[in-house]
Amino acid sequence: MLKGFEEFQKVGKDGFDAAVRSFGEVNKGFQAIAAEVTDYSKKAFEDSTRAFEQLIGAKSIEQAIEIQSQYAKKAYDTYVAEMSKLGEMYVGLAKDAYKPVETVFTKKVV
């Protein structure tokens, strides 16, 4: 009976350790995502400011439309690329967070 209790304690400790490691991975992942979003926001703000400055200096309506069109295309392309990158980061975060838990379960099953 004592052996069963010790095994139960070991399983509980292993599960707790896996949960702590998993939360650590989630924390690192969210920090990386937050840094990425911050960088993207800074770049987007700089790009919009630059486009606005160019619009102010436009000599004709055609030039203003061209500046605005170029800015819109660049903003869209950058946004799509950033969302793809963030999606990959979220998938990586989920995989990294699950690894410690998976390791404990595979040890118990095998």
Side-chain angles (χ1 to χ4, degrees):
M1 175 139 168
L2 186 58
K3 184 177 178 174
F5 181 71
E6 288 173 354
E7 182 65 27
F8 180 74
Q9 279 185 317
K10 184 176 179 334
V11 169
K13 182 185 178 307
D14 290 347
F16 180 76
D17 291 344
V20 169
R21 286 192 306 273
S22 179
F23 287 134
E25 291 297 325
V26 168
N27 187 28
K28 285 193 298 188
F30 279 134
Q31 287 177 352
I33 289 169
E36 184 65 32
V37 169
T38 301
D39 289 344
Y40 169 73
S41 297
K42 286 179 184 177
K43 289 178 199 170
F45 181 75
E46 291 169 359
D47 289 346
S48 65
T49 302
R50 193 174 311 110
F52 182 71
E53 290 171 352
Q54 290 175 348
L55 278 172
I56 290 173
K59 304 287 185 209
S60 67
I61 297 289
E62 290 81 18
Q63 188 180 14
I65 291 171
E66 180 63 28
I67 292 168
Q68 191 174 16
S69 296
Q70 288 174 355
Y71 168 72
K73 182 178 180 345
K74 182 179 179 184
Y76 175 78
D77 291 343
T78 305
Y79 175 79
V80 169
E82 189 66 25
M83 291 305 111
S84 294
K85 186 174 184 178
L86 286 174
E88 291 171 6
M89 290 177 80
Y90 275 111
V91 168
L93 181 146
K95 286 180 182 178
D96 291 343
Y98 182 67
K99 281 179 187 176
V101 176
E102 180 183 35
T103 302
V104 170
F105 280 125
T106 56
K107 283 181 183 177
K108 300 303 172 198
V109 172
V110 175

